[in-house]
Amino acid sequence: MQSSRIEPAAGIVSHQPTTLAAMVRGGHGIGLLNSLAGAMVRTDGLVVREVTNPHLHRDVGLWWHSERPLSRAAQAFIDLVLDSDRPAGTMPISRTDRLIRSAY
């Protein structure tokens, strides 16, 4: 949410989706999760609403040390992630990012 410049007034913050859901289920307020984290949470007893706002986003990426060679396992993992189907609600990496990938 920092990248979207939203500063919610929060009394309790949790970085664990299941903990957040348990707190909401226990009556401690509302929670906001991205769709990937939300897929890990039991939603029984909760009302789930999609937040649609083109200005809200979360960047997720793979990083590695550019001056060290990648192991075959690390390269295989990168290839697997980049070649896998994207989860629902996500957007593809840009063409520029794909070109960077091919340079390695």
Side-chain angles (χ1 to χ4, degrees):
M1 292 192 320
Q2 288 174 333
S3 62
S4 300
R5 296 186 184 103
I6 293 177
E7 295 295 330
I12 301 173
V13 175
S14 174
H15 298 286
Q16 300 298 323
T18 53
T19 300
L20 181 60
M23 289 171 27
V24 171
R25 193 176 289 108
H28 298 286
I30 64 171
L32 181 64
L33 295 171
N34 66 52
S35 60
L36 296 176
M40 297 174 15
V41 175
R42 283 187 17 241
T43 58
D44 54 300
L46 302 176
V47 176
V48 178
R49 299 281 190 258
E50 182 176 345
V51 176
T52 304
N53 184 325
H55 303 291
L56 295 177
H57 70 277
R58 179 179 185 184
D59 295 327
V60 177
L62 295 171
W63 296 66
W64 57 90
H65 196 292
S66 63
E67 295 176 7
R68 294 185 184 154
L70 289 172
S71 68
R72 286 190 293 170
Q75 186 62 57
F77 178 73
I78 292 167
D79 292 340
L80 175 70
V81 169
L82 294 176
D83 293 338
S84 295
D85 292 335
R86 288 180 288 111
T90 63
M91 299 182 65
I93 61 173
S94 71
R95 179 168 161 61
T96 302
D97 292 337
R98 288 183 190 272
L99 293 174
I100 291 170
R101 173 189 173 209
S102 65
Y104 288 98

